[in-house]
Amino acid sequence: MESTAHETVALSHLPTGARLLFRSRNEWRAAAIAEFNENKVSIHVASPSGRTYRIYRPIDSLLIFDGRFFRLTGENPPPDKADFTTYDSRW
């Protein structure tokens, strides 16, 4: 049985290249930290089409660590990762 306790960590505590899950409008997507600036973090997010796009978040944004994954969510995080997006099946 999985524990329901979650830990929160600031985005600034992860190194460049760290992997995390990003919540888009309707699904979870794989992402990686690309660059740290003075007050923001650049994150590359993978899209189902095979391309990537860049988002920026404040350096003090909170991540949820559930024991396996770091998750970056908006104000109303969904309860689970059931709607994780499907990528190209060749990979």
Side-chain angles (χ1 to χ4, degrees):
M1 178 166 259
E2 195 173 313
S3 174
T4 58
H6 297 296
E7 179 182 339
T8 57
V9 178
L11 196 53
S12 61
H13 286 91
L14 296 180
T16 301
R19 306 288 182 171
L20 52 106
L21 296 177
F22 169 71
R23 177 68 183 184
S24 68
R25 286 187 191 176
N26 56 359
E27 62 194 7
W28 289 97
R29 295 185 176 184
I33 296 175
E35 181 181 11
F36 286 95
N37 292 326
E38 290 181 16
N39 56 0
K40 64 182 177 179
V41 178
S42 172
I43 301 171
H44 288 184
V45 180
S47 69
S49 68
R51 304 190 120 188
T52 61
Y53 60 94
R54 187 175 297 177
I55 60 169
Y56 298 94
R57 292 294 182 262
I59 200 162
D60 58 350
S61 296
L62 292 178
L63 299 168
I64 298 170
F65 182 66
D66 62 4
R68 294 177 53 187
F69 301 106
F70 288 101
R71 295 185 287 158
L72 179 63
T73 61
E75 294 178 5
N76 300 318
D80 60 7
K81 297 178 289 297
D83 51 355
F84 193 74
T85 189
T86 304
Y87 292 95
D88 189 346
S89 61
R90 295 176 292 175
W91 301 100

